[in-house]
Amino acid sequence: GSTDNSLEILNNYAQNDSRIKVINKENGGVSSARNSGLDIAEGKYVMFVDSDDWLELNACELAYNEITRFDSDLLVFDIYNANVDGTKQISHWLRTFLKNEIFYFNSCPEKFFYSQTSIWGKLFKKSLLFNKFNANLKKGEDTAYFWQTCLYNPKISVLNLPLYNYLANPQSAMFSTINVENCEIFNSLNYLKSLRIFHNTSSYNKAHILDRFALSVEYEMRHFKNCISKEYCDNVKKLLKQIENYTKKPERLRYYKKLKKTLFKVENKKIIDIFDKIKTKITKKISDNKSYECNFPIDIVYCWVDGNDPDWQNEKLEWQKKLGVPYSDAVNMCRFLDNEELKYSLRSVAK
């Protein structure tokens, strides 16, 4: 599917090394390419490398030695975040959560769910990869495949050495506004949830896998907020509800609350903008007049926004000191949320 001289370069390598096999096919997407590679793979282990990324020179040797040392089914290792200017930094994503550990997925530490969920940066036993990638998915297909594979309870080992270079490409699906507008990430999520093996896993695993998807969804909502539609928000609400169904205390999960907070901001952007304008005015008046006291509508705006978001504790305390608004009043004032008279007052004050 390449339109440059990549095929010629690959054929030259293949002529000099019999281990290299070249597949020349029409461009059918990344999942189709991966499936074609799996179809002809003959080795005991498989490693995936995206087209704009590359490996450290000794990556295969070190990864092979580590996975065979413990006879693991899956090896996860550190990566470099590479930049177009040639610089790179070790990603702390994996090592923040896991330190050279060995475990089976069904007994894995909770923090494993929040490590890197792409299929690159890993070495798999080929016997573990008996499923095909879903070629109909346009975003999150590798995440869905990764969790599908993990649900077969592989033995996993972690190596805190950076063997893979990941180059962030602004043209990739990760940065596509079209995929956001079409809610593509939820297609991958729904595909995973439709699998029998997902239905058969524990509620603990389900809650944490969905919470990990919540991280990707929250990222999209923050970085593509102008593309977020009502349909997208409805899908987010379904995801949050599903997480709540699988755990009695969803607020203890890592990204559930964060996604809920971002959804709140996106759905109430107009009111939040009004609040920001009012807060700016309050700040100026406080600086001009230390004895300034807020009037009723401003109090309501402050209390409504603050009272609906339990994560804004520091800001809440700061503004309580400045404005003299008790937290109990803030909670009670949230009841005015749907009050048309209040909304009119807010707009008037914001002008």
Side-chain angles (χ1 to χ4, degrees), residues 144-314:
Y145 189 86
F146 174 73
W147 289 125
Q148 179 184 9
T149 302
C150 284
L151 290 174
Y152 288 96
N153 195 32
K155 183 180 180 181
I156 303 169
S157 53
V158 177
L159 177 63
N160 290 127
L161 281 178
L163 305 179
Y164 188 97
N165 293 271
Y166 168 71
L167 181 65
N169 180 4
Q171 304 302 319
S172 70
M174 180 178 178
F175 299 98
S176 170
T177 57
I178 295 177
N179 285 338
V180 176
E181 292 169 352
N182 293 336
C183 304
E184 293 293 349
I185 194 169
F186 295 102
N187 292 333
S188 298
L189 175 58
N190 292 333
Y191 167 73
L192 177 63
K193 291 190 299 182
S194 71
L195 300 176
R196 179 178 298 179
I197 194 167
F198 183 85
H199 284 281
N200 293 339
T201 195
S202 66
S203 294
Y204 175 89
N205 285 348
K206 290 175 182 175
H208 283 83
I209 290 174
L210 294 186
D211 191 53
R212 184 59 179 79
F213 263 97
L215 167 62
S216 300
V217 173
E218 196 276 334
Y219 175 90
E220 282 195 345
M221 294 191 79
R222 280 190 295 111
H223 289 80
F224 301 95
K225 52 188 175 184
N226 294 329
C227 303
I228 302 301
S229 62
K230 182 180 182 303
E231 179 187 2
Y232 194 104
C233 290
D234 289 342
N235 277 305
V236 173
K237 292 174 184 177
K238 290 178 184 177
L239 173 57
L240 292 170
K241 185 64 177 177
Q242 289 161 353
I243 293 174
E244 293 166 2
N245 290 338
Y246 292 132
T247 178
K248 294 180 180 179
K249 297 181 178 179
E251 66 280 356
R252 292 188 177 181
L253 295 171
R254 190 175 297 269
Y255 294 108
Y256 167 85
K257 288 196 300 181
K258 193 171 183 179
L259 177 58
K260 201 169 185 178
K261 175 179 178 178
T262 302
L263 174 65
F264 172 82
K265 288 183 176 181
V266 169
E267 286 199 312
N268 298 281
K269 184 179 183 302
K270 291 182 180 179
I271 299 296
I272 296 291
D273 289 344
I274 291 174
F275 167 72
D276 287 337
K277 291 179 181 178
I278 294 174
K279 194 166 75 169
T280 300
K281 290 186 177 183
I282 293 174
T283 303
K284 185 177 186 306
K285 288 187 177 182
I286 288 176
S287 63
D288 294 342
N289 182 4
K290 300 298 181 183
S291 62
Y292 171 73
E293 293 183 2
C294 301
N295 59 38
F296 178 77
I298 296 179
D299 284 349
I300 292 293
V301 178
Y302 158 67
C303 295
W304 172 66
V305 176
D306 184 67
N308 272 271
D309 196 326
D311 288 340
W312 294 349
Q313 296 301 320
N314 292 333

